[in-house]
Amino acid sequence: MAENDGQLIDRKSHIQNLKLQKVLIGIGGGIAAYKVCEVVSALAKSGVEVRVILTDAACEFITPLTLATLSRHPAYTDKDFWQPTHGRPLHIELGEWADVFAIAPLTANTLAKLAYGFADNLLTNTVLASTCPILLAPAMNTDMWEQVAVQRNWQQVLTDKRYHSVGPDAGILACDRIGSGRMAEPSQILPHIQSLLQTNGKRDLVGKQVLISAGGTREHLDPVRFIGNPSTGKMGLAVAQAALHRGASVTLVRAPATWSTPMGVRDIPVTSAAEMREAMLQCFPNADLIIMSAAVADVKPANYAAEKLPKKLLPTSLPLSSVTDIVAELGKLKQPHQLLIGFAAQTGDIVTPALEKLHSKKLDVIVANPIDKSDSGFGSDNNQAIFINAQGRQLEIARCSKLEMAHRLFDFVQTGG
């Protein structure tokens, strides 16, 4: 486990099920190059084949030996590019080899070369010799990033559907400036690479508004005690990442969670079922796809104490009142152009109760997932499920990462099951 921005991130959770796939990493000349070591290491440890290209400027910040050790394969520089070979040219071999090409950090200089199709080093020649999706992670000083020429180049590059972007973020930069230009963290780059490997870069949700609920709501008895459930919201996070990576505009209504909402996602934090209901109803009219992955409370304490109750005053029995069924309410409001997807976390027989929920709440698709299986369900980085649509088609999904499951759910929905 590695710590980042105050949260613990299991790197392996981002890179499940990527074995036998090939990722090419291009590293530009910037101080953020050190962060890429974590990306390379995590991918290689998972069994993904990794190759690394360093520009001459990148070699001033990090050595080829470091990347070769982390990737379990020699790292390439311009010295390799200009050496005679006994086979095919190196940039052709690498370009055809890669399933996904990530460039991080992307410097202003390399960005300009990409914008105008220049090819004067191994990295840029390999870009032109490749046809796979390319993920760009810019990193530079705020004033550099905000230059008209840099922004023009950035927008021009993104008109090419091959290019996908992550970041830049805002924060404290290496120059002590506080502003935009900070390279995305490995915790953002890794899931985007996984998405590109899963989808081959397709953007089938461009123009769609996706509304997602995530996490477990809390129904308070007093300011410090509540009725809750074990949901961590990881499945909802994965759905948000998958939708974002496929081009959607994403709104995430999330109950308390330890993770950070991805850049580019509209974040609406809530605590109780009532707050979630209010947020969902407000956002619902503009949504095309609504995915209710949250574990919403069914009941709440009938009485709430505004101040912490002394232990001696805690009730020996707790009167409860019902909570509005958000999914059922949205099902009644759903318009013909909208698709409503629900989740049913169950033990034992997961299909029968899921079918009942699917029809009674007017859902288009339901995800029935077991919570009594090892390494699956609440709190796990993995999940397994049976997708069921309103026409009765079922698709069983074996245990996989939650991000992979999210992509397979969108595939199921997009193809009509």
Side-chain angles (χ1 to χ4, degrees):
M1 302 283 281
E3 190 169 357
N4 174 61
D5 293 336
Q7 61 177 327
L8 291 176
I9 299 168
D10 183 353
R11 299 304 180 200
K12 291 183 179 180
S13 70
H14 297 307
I15 49 179
Q16 299 272 338
N17 303 307
L18 301 188
K19 295 181 180 180
L20 304 180
Q21 294 183 297
K22 302 177 287 293
V23 176
L24 180 60
I25 305 289
I27 302 178
I31 187 60
Y34 79 92
K35 294 183 182 180
V36 186
C37 291
E38 187 173 351
V39 175
V40 172
S41 178
L43 289 169
K45 286 179 180 177
S46 76
V48 176
E49 293 186 64
V50 185
R51 302 289 184 269
V52 180
I53 297 172
L54 296 95
T55 65
D56 285 345
C59 293
E60 298 294 326
F61 292 91
I62 190 167
T63 68
L65 177 60
T66 299
L67 277 306
T69 304
L70 294 174
S71 67
R72 284 72 163 166
H73 192 278
Y76 300 107
T77 68
D78 279 359
K79 292 180 180 179
D80 302 296
F81 185 37
W82 300 117
Q83 292 298 318
T85 64
H86 298 288
R88 303 173 72 216
L90 180 58
H91 64 293
I92 304 297
E93 289 282 1
L94 289 173
E96 293 180 353
W97 173 86
D99 293 319
V100 168
F101 193 170
I103 303 177
L106 174 70
T107 62
N109 187 48
T110 298
L111 172 60
K113 293 178 182 181
L114 297 183
Y116 291 96
F118 289 177
D120 63 349
N121 59 13
L122 176 57
L123 176 60
T124 51
N125 270 273
T126 305
V127 168
L128 295 187
S130 66
T131 58
C132 64
I134 300 177
L135 178 65
L136 304 176
M140 61 194 78
N141 165 269
T142 302
D143 290 329
M144 294 174 67
W145 173 247
E146 293 178 351
Q147 288 292 329
V148 171
V150 171
Q151 287 301 305
R152 181 185 62 238
N153 291 342
W154 180 239
Q155 295 305 319
Q156 180 173 323
V157 163
L158 293 182
T159 61
D160 185 337
K161 293 182 179 179
R162 284 186 64 205
Y163 291 109
H164 301 254
S165 64
V166 56
D169 205 347
I172 300 177
L173 308 181
C175 58
D176 294 328
R177 174 76 180 270
I178 298 176
S180 58
R182 180 184 176 93
M183 192 179 84
E185 298 296 327
S187 60
Q188 298 165 322
I189 295 172
L190 282 165
H192 212 136
I193 290 174
Q194 181 178 355
S195 287
L196 293 175
L197 286 169
Q198 188 75 29
T199 66
N200 195 33
K202 66 182 175 185
R203 290 189 176 96
D204 53 355
L205 293 179
V206 169
K208 299 292 186 182
Q209 298 282 339
V210 177
L211 174 62
I212 303 161
S213 70
T217 61
R218 299 177 179 181
E219 308 305 321
H220 279 266
L221 170 65
D222 65 16
V224 298
R225 301 180 181 96
F226 60 85
I227 298 174
N229 59 67
S231 174
T232 58
K234 288 182 178 180
M235 190 67 237
L237 168 63
V239 173
Q241 289 172 326
L244 182 70
H245 298 162
R246 293 170 85 132
S249 297
V250 183
T251 298
L252 182 63
V253 179
R254 59 174 180 89
T258 58
W259 39 263
S260 299
T261 300
M263 284 186 294
V265 172
R266 180 189 177 196
D267 180 41
I268 303 179
V270 298
T271 299
S272 67
E275 292 171 348
M276 182 168 284
R277 173 182 178 271
E278 181 180 355
M280 294 298 295
L281 288 174
Q282 182 178 2
C283 299
F284 183 78
N286 295 322
D288 299 298
L289 278 74
I290 304 92
I291 303 174
M292 296 294 295
S293 63
V296 184
D298 298 305
V299 295
K300 64 180 180 180
N303 301 303
Y304 173 74
E307 296 183 356
K308 180 183 176 182
L309 293 170
K311 187 174 181 179
K312 62 183 179 180
L313 295 182
L314 289 175
T316 56
S317 61
L318 186 62
L320 301 174
S321 60
S322 61
V323 170
T324 301
D325 190 327
I326 303 174
V327 177
E329 190 170 2
L330 296 181
K332 294 176 182 177
L333 297 172
K334 185 181 64 171
Q335 299 300 306
H337 72 280
Q338 295 179 308
L339 292 175
L340 180 60
I341 296 99
F343 275 67
Q346 299 289 155
T347 58
D349 173 17
I350 65 173
V351 173
T352 302
L355 283 170
E356 193 280 329
K357 183 175 181 179
L358 172 72
H359 297 300
S360 67
K361 301 188 180 183
K362 297 181 173 59
L363 301 176
D364 296 288
V365 173
I366 193 160
V367 179
N369 62 295
I371 56 174
D372 54 355
K373 304 291 184 182
S374 61
D375 195 19
S376 180
F378 290 148
S380 173
D381 296 315
N382 300 310
N383 211 347
Q384 54 186 297
I386 298 175
F387 301 160
I388 311 172
N389 68 12
Q391 291 72 44
R393 182 173 175 228
Q394 297 185 17
L395 177 64
E396 185 170 357
I397 307 297
R399 186 171 65 87
C400 61
S401 72
K402 288 182 173 177
L403 183 55
E404 179 180 341
M405 177 164 287
H407 280 295
R408 296 192 69 177
L409 176 59
F410 282 119
D411 291 340
F412 186 80
V413 171
Q414 291 287 83
T415 58

